[in-house]
Amino acid sequence: MTATNAAASCAMLDDPVTADIVRVAPEAVLEGARPRLLDEWQLMPQLWNLVRRAVDASSEKGQFLLTGSATPADDVTRHTGAARVMRIQQRTLTWFEQDGLPTSTGVSLSDLFDGGVPTPDLSQPLTYSDVLGRLLRPGFPGLRDLPPQRSQRMLRSYLDDVARVDMPRLIDMRHDPIVMRQLLNSLARSVASEVSYSTLAADVRQVAPTITPDTVATYTGVLEQLFVLEPQKAWAPALRSRARLRSSVRQHLADPALAAAALGASKESLSRDPATVGLLFESAVIHDLRILSASLEAEVRHYRDSNGHEIDAVVTLPDGRWGAIEIKLGAGQIGEGRLSLAKAISQIDSTVVSQPAFRMVVTGTGQTYVCDDGTVTCPLTALRP
């Protein structure tokens, strides 16, 4: 939809008539007013090289928009399109975007990296019930205003279609869709956690007794291609001690509400399960950090060493600056978060890696202010680009 608003003409490649034209005369699909949108182009991957050649033949900029719901295999784009093609990943809406609040208020990640200090905001924070409602509200624009039961039903239907239709398009499936659905459910239970393929396989064996960790690894890779799963990689700085860094990824579904839907969660059931709420909230913060720091070309990673020190989110910039963020559901946990950050940062060798540009504790039910030790704390609703 975003590309449609920017395009002067379009070709929908999941349309049977258009697909027939591509098979007979693929160059004809490129003809039309530009920018020309080629939607679901990964279904006809031969178009990649045709577009690249068309771009080479003209000095005009912004000629084509290629959109798709899956990443094609690497060999499709072996001719990389360097200096010709810009890749942009779309994600669902952040809490900030869903609120539609002005960008002049709140806590700006860009300002924090530049040494800025946020203005305190001690207005009434969200309640625990408010946070539960937001975790269940999808960031998909077409679903966010639906009643909770209906939006959750739509999300579960989406996950069913991923298992039944989308995954078999990308891989020769050896298992029934129910196996893929069980894998999605297992990933939802492990959201924001470091979970091994062996653990996932053990869970999936309820419906596929012979499935192996290697097969599960293949299937999770396909879910990444479909933008359903987005791993959070580990950060590996130099350390002062002989502690070993953990390199496992933490898994996140594309939207926190997707994980809640996979679990069949409701506001009532979540209210009795604070552990799951904590994981879903952490995933929501990572989701929003990725989006809000994208203009800085940042990466959002995590840190954990063998001594048990952790940083939930490490936002790293290309110039080497980084920020350390601890995620806590309640305002009463801010002190604990500050202490955890201080201990973890003290393990990092500051002669090799600079001190963090900022330390921050992001909460669900807290307020915005700067602590005595310089740590910034704010609710997720206050985060801005």
Side-chain angles (χ1 to χ4, degrees):
M1 185 58 69
T2 302
T4 299
N5 290 329
S9 67
C10 63
M12 304 301 181
L13 298 175
D14 55 355
D15 174 69
V17 174
T18 305
D20 287 342
I21 294 173
V22 173
R23 281 187 281 270
V24 175
E27 296 87 353
V29 181
L30 274 59
E31 297 175 2
R34 299 183 181 179
R36 182 157 175 78
L37 166 62
L38 304 178
D39 186 52
E40 299 294 355
W41 74 273
Q42 80 281 356
L43 300 176
M44 304 290 173
Q46 65 269 35
L47 291 177
W48 173 268
N49 283 331
L50 293 178
V51 168
R52 184 176 59 85
R53 290 170 189 149
V55 171
D56 285 344
S58 172
S59 60
E60 184 182 352
K61 306 299 182 184
Q63 297 184 62
F64 296 97
L65 295 164
L66 278 62
T67 57
S69 54
T71 303
D74 289 340
D75 60 344
V76 171
T77 57
R78 183 169 293 124
H79 295 290
T80 62
R84 306 177 185 91
V85 180
M86 174 75 74
R87 290 174 172 84
I88 299 175
Q89 180 176 349
Q90 284 197 309
R91 296 182 173 95
T92 60
L93 298 175
T94 64
W95 283 20
F96 154 63
E97 291 170 314
Q98 292 193 48
D99 285 342
L101 297 176
T103 57
S104 59
T105 61
V107 179
S108 164
L109 287 174
S110 177
D111 287 349
L112 290 176
F113 273 109
D114 289 337
V117 178
T119 302
D121 182 356
L122 303 181
S123 57
Q124 185 67 31
L126 294 182
T127 66
Y128 186 60
S129 179
D130 293 333
V131 172
L132 297 182
R134 286 171 178 265
L135 290 174
L136 292 171
R137 185 173 67 182
F140 295 91
L143 302 182
R144 65 193 179 107
D145 294 326
L146 294 178
Q149 288 185 340
R150 187 176 175 191
S151 65
Q152 291 289 293
R153 188 162 59 246
M154 294 286 284
L155 291 175
R156 285 192 290 271
S157 176
Y158 170 74
L159 292 173
D160 288 340
D161 284 343
V162 166
R164 182 177 58 86
V165 179
D166 293 336
M167 292 187 71
R169 284 180 178 175
L170 296 184
I171 191 173
D172 183 16
M173 300 293 296
R174 303 188 315 185
H175 294 93
D176 292 336
I178 191 174
V179 177
M180 302 305 103
R181 195 63 170 82
Q182 178 69 20
L183 175 59
L184 285 164
N185 293 351
S186 181
L187 287 164
R189 282 191 292 273
S190 305
V191 72
S193 303
E194 299 168 42
V195 59
S196 69
Y197 296 129
S198 296
T199 299
L200 292 172
D203 198 3
V204 176
R205 286 190 189 113
Q206 297 177 41
V207 293
T210 61
I211 198 168
T212 65
D214 286 343
T215 300
V216 168
T218 299
Y219 291 162
T220 56
V222 175
L223 290 171
E224 290 178 36
Q225 282 186 266
L226 289 167
F227 306 110
V228 175
L229 190 67
E230 188 166 7
Q232 181 188 6
K233 297 179 180 179
W235 186 52
L239 301 183
R240 298 179 186 273
S241 68
R242 294 187 178 182
R244 296 184 303 278
L245 290 170
R246 302 305 189 191
S247 59
S248 299
V249 301
R250 293 181 177 178
Q251 299 289 2
H252 300 270
L253 295 187
D255 190 275
L258 268 177
L263 297 173
S266 66
K267 195 170 183 179
E268 292 71 25
S269 65
L270 287 178
S271 67
R272 301 186 298 270
D273 188 359
T276 297
V277 175
L279 292 175
L280 290 174
F281 179 70
E282 181 172 337
S283 191
V285 175
I286 299 302
H287 168 273
D288 285 15
L289 285 172
R290 281 173 163 152
I291 297 166
L292 298 173
S293 64
S295 62
L296 303 175
E297 299 183 66
E299 290 189 19
V300 179
R301 303 204 169 204
H302 74 91
Y303 167 91
R304 187 166 72 92
D305 63 34
S306 59
N307 290 333
H309 299 107
E310 297 186 33
I311 303 175
D312 292 328
V314 179
V315 182
T316 62
L317 301 189
D319 63 9
R321 287 179 292 166
W322 63 286
I325 300 172
E326 188 71 8
I327 301 168
K328 296 296 182 184
L329 182 59
Q333 300 170 296
I334 292 172
E336 176 187 339
R338 292 167 53 192
L339 181 60
S340 177
L341 278 179
K343 288 182 177 179
I345 292 170
S346 70
Q347 308 302 306
I348 298 170
D349 191 343
S350 58
T351 65
V352 179
V353 181
S354 63
Q355 287 290 316
F358 65 89
R359 307 178 187 192
M360 182 162 60
V361 179
V362 177
T363 66
T365 62
Q367 298 168 310
T368 299
Y369 56 91
V370 181
C371 303
D372 293 341
D373 63 355
T375 301
V376 173
T377 183
C378 72
L380 179 54
T381 50
L383 281 184
R384 303 289 185 268

PDB file of all heavy atoms in Angstrom, residues 4-23:
ATOM      1  N   THR A   4       2.109   1.661  -3.496  1.00  0.00           N
ATOM      2  CA  THR A   4       1.030   2.048  -4.395  1.00  0.00           C
ATOM      3  C   THR A   4       0.798   3.555  -4.356  1.00  0.00           C
ATOM      4  O   THR A   4       0.548   4.196  -5.381  1.00  0.00           O
ATOM      5  CB  THR A   4      -0.271   1.313  -4.015  1.00  0.00           C
ATOM      6  OG1 THR A   4      -0.068  -0.092  -4.131  1.00  0.00           O
ATOM      7  CG2 THR A   4      -1.417   1.704  -4.944  1.00  0.00           C
ATOM      8  N   ASN A   5       0.903   4.138  -3.166  1.00  0.00           N
ATOM      9  CA  ASN A   5       0.714   5.580  -3.035  1.00  0.00           C
ATOM     10  C   ASN A   5       1.821   6.372  -3.711  1.00  0.00           C
ATOM     11  O   ASN A   5       1.623   7.544  -4.058  1.00  0.00           O
ATOM     12  CB  ASN A   5       0.643   5.960  -1.555  1.00  0.00           C
ATOM     13  CG  ASN A   5      -0.630   5.476  -0.892  1.00  0.00           C
ATOM     14  OD1 ASN A   5      -1.669   5.380  -1.537  1.00  0.00           O
ATOM     15  ND2 ASN A   5      -0.568   5.164   0.390  1.00  0.00           N
ATOM     16  N   ALA A   6       2.987   5.750  -3.892  1.00  0.00           N
ATOM     17  CA  ALA A   6       4.122   6.451  -4.502  1.00  0.00           C
ATOM     18  C   ALA A   6       4.275   6.147  -5.986  1.00  0.00           C
ATOM     19  O   ALA A   6       5.017   6.841  -6.683  1.00  0.00           O
ATOM     20  CB  ALA A   6       5.414   6.075  -3.769  1.00  0.00           C
ATOM     21  N   ALA A   7       3.593   5.113  -6.480  1.00  0.00           N
ATOM     22  CA  ALA A   7       3.795   4.649  -7.853  1.00  0.00           C
ATOM     23  C   ALA A   7       2.882   5.375  -8.832  1.00  0.00           C
ATOM     24  O   ALA A   7       1.769   5.786  -8.494  1.00  0.00           O
ATOM     25  CB  ALA A   7       3.552   3.147  -7.931  1.00  0.00           C
ATOM     26  N   ALA A   8       3.365   5.497 -10.082  1.00  0.00           N
ATOM     27  CA  ALA A   8       2.544   6.053 -11.167  1.00  0.00           C
ATOM     28  C   ALA A   8       1.822   4.951 -11.926  1.00  0.00           C
ATOM     29  O   ALA A   8       0.824   5.212 -12.611  1.00  0.00           O
ATOM     30  CB  ALA A   8       3.422   6.861 -12.119  1.00  0.00           C
ATOM     31  N   SER A   9       2.313   3.717 -11.860  1.00  0.00           N
ATOM     32  CA  SER A   9       1.660   2.572 -12.480  1.00  0.00           C
ATOM     33  C   SER A   9       2.107   1.329 -11.729  1.00  0.00           C
ATOM     34  O   SER A   9       3.077   1.363 -10.969  1.00  0.00           O
ATOM     35  CB  SER A   9       2.015   2.454 -13.968  1.00  0.00           C
ATOM     36  OG  SER A   9       3.398   2.139 -14.129  1.00  0.00           O
ATOM     37  N   CYS A  10       1.404   0.230 -11.940  1.00  0.00           N
ATOM     38  CA  CYS A  10       1.771  -0.965 -11.189  1.00  0.00           C
ATOM     39  C   CYS A  10       1.415  -2.230 -11.961  1.00  0.00           C
ATOM     40  O   CYS A  10       0.568  -2.230 -12.862  1.00  0.00           O
ATOM     41  CB  CYS A  10       1.090  -0.991  -9.826  1.00  0.00           C
ATOM     42  SG  CYS A  10      -0.711  -1.055  -9.908  1.00  0.00           S
ATOM     43  N   ALA A  11       2.103  -3.323 -11.592  1.00  0.00           N
ATOM     44  CA  ALA A  11       1.813  -4.666 -12.090  1.00  0.00           C
ATOM     45  C   ALA A  11       1.804  -5.591 -10.889  1.00  0.00           C
ATOM     46  O   ALA A  11       2.793  -5.669 -10.158  1.00  0.00           O
ATOM     47  CB  ALA A  11       2.863  -5.108 -13.107  1.00  0.00           C
ATOM     48  N   MET A  12       0.686  -6.278 -10.684  1.00  0.00           N
ATOM     49  CA  MET A  12       0.541  -7.195  -9.562  1.00  0.00           C
ATOM     50  C   MET A  12       0.878  -8.606 -10.044  1.00  0.00           C
ATOM     51  O   MET A  12       0.114  -9.210 -10.799  1.00  0.00           O
ATOM     52  CB  MET A  12      -0.883  -7.138  -8.994  1.00  0.00           C
ATOM     53  CG  MET A  12      -1.316  -5.744  -8.575  1.00  0.00           C
ATOM     54  SD  MET A  12      -0.222  -5.046  -7.297  1.00  0.00           S
ATOM     55  CE  MET A  12      -0.997  -3.449  -7.013  1.00  0.00           C
ATOM     56  N   LEU A  13       2.016  -9.108  -9.630  1.00  0.00           N
ATOM     57  CA  LEU A  13       2.529 -10.357 -10.194  1.00  0.00           C
ATOM     58  C   LEU A  13       1.866 -11.595  -9.626  1.00  0.00           C
ATOM     59  O   LEU A  13       2.133 -12.703 -10.099  1.00  0.00           O
ATOM     60  CB  LEU A  13       4.040 -10.421 -10.006  1.00  0.00           C
ATOM     61  CG  LEU A  13       4.785  -9.292 -10.727  1.00  0.00           C
ATOM     62  CD1 LEU A  13       6.258  -9.325 -10.407  1.00  0.00           C
ATOM     63  CD2 LEU A  13       4.566  -9.357 -12.221  1.00  0.00           C
ATOM     64  N   ASP A  14       1.014 -11.440  -8.604  1.00  0.00           N
ATOM     65  CA  ASP A  14       0.237 -12.587  -8.149  1.00  0.00           C
ATOM     66  C   ASP A  14      -1.096 -12.699  -8.893  1.00  0.00           C
ATOM     67  O   ASP A  14      -1.906 -13.584  -8.603  1.00  0.00           O
ATOM     68  CB  ASP A  14      -0.006 -12.535  -6.644  1.00  0.00           C
ATOM     69  CG  ASP A  14      -0.651 -11.233  -6.186  1.00  0.00           C
ATOM     70  OD1 ASP A  14      -0.827 -10.321  -7.025  1.00  0.00           O
ATOM     71  OD2 ASP A  14      -0.981 -11.124  -4.991  1.00  0.00           O
ATOM     72  N   ASP A  15      -1.299 -11.789  -9.871  1.00  0.00           N
ATOM     73  CA  ASP A  15      -2.470 -11.868 -10.744  1.00  0.00           C
ATOM     74  C   ASP A  15      -2.182 -12.867 -11.867  1.00  0.00           C
ATOM     75  O   ASP A  15      -1.143 -12.778 -12.533  1.00  0.00           O
ATOM     76  CB  ASP A  15      -2.771 -10.493 -11.338  1.00  0.00           C
ATOM     77  CG  ASP A  15      -3.885 -10.542 -12.354  1.00  0.00           C
ATOM     78  OD1 ASP A  15      -5.031 -10.770 -11.963  1.00  0.00           O
ATOM     79  OD2 ASP A  15      -3.590 -10.384 -13.557  1.00  0.00           O
ATOM     80  N   PRO A  16      -3.057 -13.849 -12.117  1.00  0.00           N
ATOM     81  CA  PRO A  16      -2.789 -14.891 -13.123  1.00  0.00           C
ATOM     82  C   PRO A  16      -2.517 -14.336 -14.519  1.00  0.00           C
ATOM     83  O   PRO A  16      -1.650 -14.864 -15.235  1.00  0.00           O
ATOM     84  CB  PRO A  16      -4.062 -15.746 -13.098  1.00  0.00           C
ATOM     85  CG  PRO A  16      -4.646 -15.527 -11.742  1.00  0.00           C
ATOM     86  CD  PRO A  16      -4.324 -14.111 -11.390  1.00  0.00           C
ATOM     87  N   VAL A  17      -3.242 -13.299 -14.935  1.00  0.00           N
ATOM     88  CA  VAL A  17      -3.037 -12.739 -16.271  1.00  0.00           C
ATOM     89  C   VAL A  17      -1.645 -12.122 -16.376  1.00  0.00           C
ATOM     90  O   VAL A  17      -0.918 -12.336 -17.362  1.00  0.00           O
ATOM     91  CB  VAL A  17      -4.120 -11.689 -16.584  1.00  0.00           C
ATOM     92  CG1 VAL A  17      -3.820 -11.001 -17.915  1.00  0.00           C
ATOM     93  CG2 VAL A  17      -5.500 -12.340 -16.617  1.00  0.00           C
ATOM     94  N   THR A  18      -1.262 -11.353 -15.347  1.00  0.00           N
ATOM     95  CA  THR A  18       0.070 -10.751 -15.352  1.00  0.00           C
ATOM     96  C   THR A  18       1.153 -11.824 -15.332  1.00  0.00           C
ATOM     97  O   THR A  18       2.181 -11.698 -16.018  1.00  0.00           O
ATOM     98  CB  THR A  18       0.238  -9.820 -14.135  1.00  0.00           C
ATOM     99  OG1 THR A  18      -0.809  -8.854 -14.134  1.00  0.00           O
ATOM    100  CG2 THR A  18       1.580  -9.114 -14.175  1.00  0.00           C
ATOM    101  N   ALA A  19       0.940 -12.877 -14.561  1.00  0.00           N
ATOM    102  CA  ALA A  19       1.913 -13.979 -14.509  1.00  0.00           C
ATOM    103  C   ALA A  19       2.076 -14.617 -15.873  1.00  0.00           C
ATOM    104  O   ALA A  19       3.192 -14.977 -16.278  1.00  0.00           O
ATOM    105  CB  ALA A  19       1.470 -15.010 -13.478  1.00  0.00           C
ATOM    106  N   ASP A  20       0.981 -14.764 -16.628  1.00  0.00           N
ATOM    107  CA  ASP A  20       1.073 -15.331 -17.978  1.00  0.00           C
ATOM    108  C   ASP A  20       1.893 -14.433 -18.891  1.00  0.00           C
ATOM    109  O   ASP A  20       2.691 -14.910 -19.709  1.00  0.00           O
ATOM    110  CB  ASP A  20      -0.327 -15.527 -18.564  1.00  0.00           C
ATOM    111  CG  ASP A  20      -1.065 -16.693 -17.931  1.00  0.00           C
ATOM    112  OD1 ASP A  20      -0.394 -17.552 -17.309  1.00  0.00           O
ATOM    113  OD2 ASP A  20      -2.300 -16.742 -18.045  1.00  0.00           O
ATOM    114  N   ILE A  21       1.713 -13.100 -18.756  1.00  0.00           N
ATOM    115  CA  ILE A  21       2.491 -12.164 -19.575  1.00  0.00           C
ATOM    116  C   ILE A  21       3.973 -12.290 -19.268  1.00  0.00           C
ATOM    117  O   ILE A  21       4.820 -12.276 -20.174  1.00  0.00           O
ATOM    118  CB  ILE A  21       2.000 -10.722 -19.327  1.00  0.00           C
ATOM    119  CG1 ILE A  21       0.566 -10.559 -19.841  1.00  0.00           C
ATOM    120  CG2 ILE A  21       2.939  -9.712 -20.001  1.00  0.00           C
ATOM    121  CD1 ILE A  21      -0.059  -9.221 -19.489  1.00  0.00           C
ATOM    122  N   VAL A  22       4.313 -12.425 -17.979  1.00  0.00           N
ATOM    123  CA  VAL A  22       5.722 -12.560 -17.591  1.00  0.00           C
ATOM    124  C   VAL A  22       6.335 -13.796 -18.228  1.00  0.00           C
ATOM    125  O   VAL A  22       7.475 -13.781 -18.696  1.00  0.00           O
ATOM    126  CB  VAL A  22       5.855 -12.605 -16.060  1.00  0.00           C
ATOM    127  CG1 VAL A  22       7.290 -12.929 -15.656  1.00  0.00           C
ATOM    128  CG2 VAL A  22       5.437 -11.273 -15.454  1.00  0.00           C
ATOM    129  N   ARG A  23       5.581 -14.880 -18.262  1.00  0.00           N
ATOM    130  CA  ARG A  23       6.128 -16.114 -18.835  1.00  0.00           C
ATOM    131  C   ARG A  23       6.356 -15.994 -20.338  1.00  0.00           C
ATOM    132  O   ARG A  23       7.273 -16.601 -20.877  1.00  0.00           O
ATOM    133  CB  ARG A  23       5.183 -17.277 -18.521  1.00  0.00           C
ATOM    134  CG  ARG A  23       5.317 -17.808 -17.098  1.00  0.00           C
ATOM    135  CD  ARG A  23       4.497 -19.057 -16.889  1.00  0.00           C
ATOM    136  NE  ARG A  23       3.086 -18.751 -16.693  1.00  0.00           N
ATOM    137  CZ  ARG A  23       2.544 -18.534 -15.508  1.00  0.00           C
ATOM    138  NH1 ARG A  23       3.303 -18.561 -14.412  1.00  0.00           N
ATOM    139  NH2 ARG A  23       1.251 -18.264 -15.398  1.00  0.00           N
TER     140      ARG A  23
END
